[in-house]
Amino acid sequence: MSAGSAQTCFRELCDLVRARLGGLHSPELLIRSLDFARIEPLQGRGGWAATGAVPNREARALERGGAELIGLAATRCTSWQAR
């Protein structure tokens, strides 16, 4: 959800695609990084419904943008598995 998570996931996805397909290949991605400073206070107040509404809204926006698969990286992506 944060910039740090997005950077880690983007780098790992690029590495996986390059390893699998080689050359100049790279993943076709839509990325939405959120400002966690706006989400944390919701969690602190126990506002879990409001907290959950944030990634839900963003996922729908990505879907409208053409996303076929949506992944949520809330901390770090460290163990992607190539399929």
Side-chain angles (χ1 to χ4, degrees):
M1 287 171 46
S2 71
S5 300
Q7 290 170 346
T8 300
C9 291
F10 181 72
R11 183 174 40 258
E12 290 189 26
L13 287 169
C14 287
D15 290 346
L16 283 169
V17 169
R18 242 186 327 272
R20 185 170 188 170
L21 302 176
L24 298 174
H25 288 283
S26 61
E28 294 183 13
L29 302 171
L30 296 173
I31 296 177
R32 180 72 174 115
S33 179
L34 306 179
D35 182 359
F36 195 71
R38 299 171 123 187
I39 298 170
E40 191 278 331
L42 298 172
Q43 293 178 337
R45 292 192 302 266
W48 294 104
T51 300
V54 175
N56 187 308
R57 181 183 67 237
E58 299 303 327
R60 292 182 187 278
L62 289 169
E63 201 172 40
R64 285 190 303 275
E68 296 175 7
L69 174 71
I70 296 175
L72 175 65
T75 351
R76 294 181 4 172
C77 297
T78 56
S79 61
W80 289 93
Q81 293 184 5
R83 298 199 189 268

